[in-house]
Amino acid sequence: MDNFININQLNASELKDLISNSFDFQKKFYKNNVDQFSNKNVIFLFLEPSTRTKTSFKIACSILGINVIDVSSENSSMVKGESIENTLSTLNSYPVDGIVIRSANHMDFEKAKEILNYPIINAGSGINSHPTQALSDLKTLNEKFEDFKELKMSIVGDLLHSRVASSFIEGFGKYGQKTNLFSPPFFKPKKLNLEMVNFYEDFEDCLKNSDVIMALRIQKERLNDLNVDFDEYASKYQINKKILDEYNIKYLMHPGPVNEGIEISHGLQNSEKSLINDQVKNGVWVRCAILDKILREQE
Ligand code: CP
């Protein structure tokens, strides 16, 4: 595998192997038994903010013995006006083994594929894809459910701007499963692949058909001209303890960061049914698995 840009690059068995390897990395780490790389260098080019993804990639690199060169946008020469093309050409001059990129513009990944001579790992591409988040979400589910055959998994909220939802749907589909979706009309995606999803127009219908709910962040930075009344949204669509109990929903997920008090109620992140912190924790192990796969295949 040269690059990891989309979940759909993987077939079902490759995806399941990655998840299985992520469990192995977790076990090996606590037994002090991780087979580390020597002399590997990976650049981080984060052109959008990140807490979870960047931190877990950093920890994964530390566990694997990979040296990180962090080119964050606010400290790079892009601030002085250097183009993305010239930035990538500059970074291509270094003897490194891979690059982890996050960008609001999915075309930056196309440019990176053209310019760079080393593997690219997608850490969040615009509203299109966030494949390592999907890996983390699938591992988190796999910790609770041995298989996903009977699992009613629903994603609710700002589907229009969610790269997390797109990648999760692809990943869950590899297990032969459809993802249930609900959004209010203003967050309904323009296109829906009905072979992969069941879209509910009614919130309650979706809740009734959910073992696990993943609430999505309202992506305030991507709303542009869309006026959303956040109080009204919270009053109609917020996930809270009463909803989880009333509809017998076993677990709550959310990729983070959470707009607390809007898409989920205050305190719910750290409540009994929440897997949100597990999603964060598992980010480390799945990123160990993908970095290990890509770098070993280059050797
Ligand atoms: N889920 C996620 O991508 O979070 P960060 O933006 O904090 O990396």
Side-chain angles (χ1 to χ4, degrees):
M1 180 189 270
D2 288 338
N3 302 315
F4 185 49
I5 307 291
N6 287 305
I7 288 287
N8 270 345
Q9 286 173 244
L10 304 168
N11 61 36
S13 125
E14 287 169 327
L15 175 61
K16 288 173 191 174
D17 282 351
L18 269 175
I19 300 293
S20 166
N21 289 344
S22 72
F23 278 96
D24 288 346
F25 271 111
Q26 186 174 10
K27 280 185 211 135
K28 283 181 190 166
F29 174 74
Y30 289 109
K31 289 182 182 164
N32 222 355
N33 192 23
V34 173
D35 188 11
Q36 288 198 323
F37 292 99
S38 56
N39 268 336
K40 295 283 183 196
N41 294 295
V42 168
I43 291 177
F44 283 14
L45 181 64
F46 276 69
L47 305 177
E48 276 190 317
S50 167
T51 298
R52 277 147 283 270
T53 311
K54 189 170 182 179
T55 305
S56 54
F57 264 116
K58 265 192 188 162
I59 295 170
C61 284
S62 160
I63 289 170
L64 294 174
I66 300 165
N67 188 39
V68 172
I69 302 96
D70 188 358
V71 187
S72 50
S73 53
E74 67 273 17
N75 294 324
S76 79
S77 286
M78 291 181 82
V79 174
K80 299 180 232 166
E82 188 167 35
S83 67
I84 181 69
E85 291 84 352
N86 287 343
T87 300
L88 291 166
S89 296
T90 302
L91 297 179
N92 197 42
S93 306
Y94 297 116
V96 300
D97 302 287
I99 187 166
V100 177
I101 302 182
R102 169 172 284 196
S103 175
N105 186 350
H106 71 275
M107 288 309 295
D108 288 348
F109 291 82
E110 297 307 313
K111 291 171 187 166
K113 280 195 269 181
E114 268 175 40
I115 294 169
L116 297 173
N117 291 323
Y118 42 76
I120 302 154
I121 301 179
N122 176 357
S125 164
I127 60 170
N128 284 20
S129 55
H130 195 351
T132 59
Q133 178 69 44
L135 297 179
S136 181
D137 297 342
L138 291 167
K139 179 178 187 294
T140 303
L141 279 178
N142 212 178
E143 287 178 340
K144 300 294 177 190
F145 302 93
E146 210 167 301
D147 70 58
F148 300 156
K149 275 191 197 113
E150 304 293 325
L151 180 61
K152 289 178 276 179
M153 176 72 205
S154 301
I155 304 184
V156 302
D158 181 0
L159 293 167
L160 188 61
H161 304 107
S162 181
R163 57 196 180 198
V164 170
S166 313
S167 289
F168 182 89
I169 291 163
E170 287 177 13
F172 203 48
K174 302 281 177 197
Y175 292 81
Q177 296 299 107
K178 280 188 174 187
T179 306
N180 296 333
L181 301 177
F182 167 79
S183 69
F186 47 90
F187 282 149
K188 184 173 176 179
K190 307 265 180 291
K191 284 186 196 161
L192 288 166
N193 180 351
L194 296 176
E195 287 180 8
M196 304 291 286
V197 302
N198 302 308
F199 187 85
Y200 289 88
E201 303 285 345
D202 183 80
F203 189 38
E204 214 184 334
D205 281 347
C206 184
L207 295 173
K208 283 180 191 160
N209 281 291
S210 303
D211 296 318
V212 179
I213 285 272
M214 174 147 36
L216 296 174
R217 180 173 74 90
I218 296 182
Q219 304 211 11
K220 293 176 180 173
E221 73 278 22
R222 301 190 215 272
L223 293 183
N224 299 319
D225 296 335
L226 191 60
N227 281 317
V228 178
D229 181 329
F230 299 124
D231 290 335
E232 190 186 347
Y233 184 94
S235 73
K236 287 184 173 168
Y237 309 117
Q238 184 184 83
I239 305 293
N240 52 38
K241 183 175 183 325
K242 185 169 172 288
I243 283 182
L244 295 179
D245 291 344
E246 192 176 328
Y247 292 92
N248 205 17
I249 293 164
K250 293 185 180 74
Y251 297 110
L252 168 74
M253 298 175 78
H254 188 303
V258 167
N259 289 310
E260 222 181 1
I262 303 183
E263 62 263 0
I264 67 171
S265 56
H266 285 276
L268 205 64
Q269 173 162 351
N270 298 312
S271 65
E272 201 185 355
K273 289 186 173 180
S274 170
L275 301 180
I276 298 173
N277 296 331
D278 294 333
Q279 290 171 269
V280 175
K281 172 200 74 181
N282 283 322
V284 171
W285 310 119
V286 297
R287 289 171 177 118
C288 282
I290 193 68
L291 282 161
D292 185 76
K293 178 177 170 66
I294 288 182
L295 296 188
R296 293 216 185 274
E297 284 178 8
Q298 304 300 311
E299 286 180 339

